[in-house]
Amino acid sequence: LMAVPALGLTVLGFLDQNLTTIIVNRPASGLKKPVGYHLDLLVCAVGIYPICAFLGLPFPHNSTAPSLIHTMSLTSYETVQVPGGGTRQVVSKVVEQRWTNFTIHALIGASLALSSVVNNVPKAVTFGIFLVMGFSSLSGNQLFERVWLWTIWDRSLYPRFRFVTRVPYASLHKYTVIQFFCFVVLYVLTSVSAVAVVFPFFMASLVFVRKGLNRMFTQEELAELDAHEDLPPDEEDETQKNTEKAVRNLDDVEKLPAGNLDLSRAISY
């Protein structure tokens, strides 16, 4: 019976490690990855994982939120104007070193001897720190940028990101609804302890959800909505050309006779 939660913990560790690695090392993060970058895994493989396996302890792995916040704290950004309104943060420099990692974990180890002092820290302070960390990581998150579009009724006021200028509005919002729904399910699974054991399995099932999106969206749309890189916005002339193309496509649909209207084509625009 205990094999089920053990399997979930294994899946969660695998996904946490690999998803964090993919997110932190994406081209938009601007990391150069020096020669010693992989020493961490070497130390774990030689000195830590064998001990954990012998004692039956779970393997240590990356933690997504602290890893992202740590990378962001070492990054300098430039604010770039987006054609048509809005701004985006572009990485200009990252201070890649090991001293902050070492200091952070040394302080964590030292906190064991200061447990009597740490216990006096109000929970509200701890929650406030995590709240600030969460909101600071929202900047540049494409999901929340697309969710914010729901509050703008006039489409001409949309910031001219590539997923706005190159993807039909219906597909844009449909993809956002699906992604936001998955986000809500993940949040509920982590908040309700009675169903928390399902969390890693739902995370793994998102692989099949992503495969299913290939049937609902074109490859060109997914290339913009699910890009691995932080794609730069179109230039003003390119933005205008894509906007005019979308308007022409919409006009063509509206001119079709009611009996000949292709529903799938109408929805796509």
Side-chain angles (χ1 to χ4, degrees), residues 16-246:
D16 220 7
Q17 170 71 32
N18 287 277
L19 290 177
T20 303
T21 303
I22 292 174
I23 295 174
V24 171
N25 293 305
R26 60 179 181 166
S29 298
L31 298 177
K32 303 299 182 183
K33 298 188 285 296
V35 177
Y37 180 79
H38 296 291
L39 284 179
D40 294 335
L41 289 179
L42 177 62
V43 171
C44 288
V46 174
I48 298 179
Y49 289 161
I51 297 176
C52 293
F54 180 77
L55 298 177
L57 299 175
F59 286 176
H61 54 78
N62 288 337
S63 182
T64 305
S67 299
L68 289 176
I69 297 299
H70 182 231
T71 303
M72 293 170 60
S73 67
L74 299 174
T75 304
S76 298
Y77 295 92
E78 294 180 353
T79 302
V80 179
Q81 295 293 326
V82 176
T87 60
R88 60 192 294 263
Q89 300 290 324
V90 179
V91 174
S92 61
K93 182 180 65 174
V94 182
V95 182
E96 298 186 61
Q97 36 69 50
R98 292 183 175 272
W99 287 108
T100 52
N101 304 70
F102 176 81
T103 304
I104 289 171
H105 290 85
L107 292 174
I108 293 175
S111 66
L112 297 176
L114 302 174
S115 58
S116 59
V117 177
V118 176
N119 288 333
N120 294 324
V121 178
K123 287 187 177 181
V125 174
T126 306
F127 290 151
I129 293 175
F130 283 105
L131 184 64
V132 172
M133 290 171 58
F135 275 104
S136 62
S137 63
L138 293 181
S139 177
N141 187 300
Q142 190 188 115
L143 169 60
F144 290 96
E145 288 177 344
R146 287 187 272 106
V147 169
W148 181 252
L149 297 179
W150 294 348
T151 65
I152 304 176
W153 295 100
D154 187 355
R155 293 176 177 176
S156 64
L157 300 179
Y158 282 3
R160 313 315 291 173
F161 296 110
R162 283 176 58 130
F163 56 80
V164 172
T165 59
R166 298 193 177 196
V167 179
Y169 293 130
S171 298
L172 170 65
H173 294 306
K174 181 170 64 174
Y175 185 90
T176 304
V177 169
I178 296 173
Q179 192 175 12
F180 188 75
F181 173 78
C182 294
F183 166 75
V184 172
V185 173
L186 288 174
Y187 178 79
V188 171
L189 292 178
T190 56
S191 302
V192 181
S193 58
V195 295
V197 69
V198 183
F199 173 78
F201 298 103
F202 182 78
M203 282 282 293
S205 69
L206 293 179
V207 175
F208 303 100
V209 174
R210 176 59 180 84
K211 292 291 186 181
L213 294 179
N214 292 326
R215 299 177 177 273
M216 304 175 63
F217 303 91
T218 66
Q219 292 302 313
E220 292 76 14
E221 292 171 348
L222 291 175
E224 303 296 335
L225 295 170
D226 192 34
H228 293 286
E229 301 181 20
D230 188 10
L231 301 175
D234 291 326
E235 297 297 332
E236 194 68 44
D237 55 346
E238 185 70 16
T239 298
Q240 183 66 23
K241 181 175 66 174
N242 290 327
T243 302
E244 292 175 353
K245 178 181 178 181

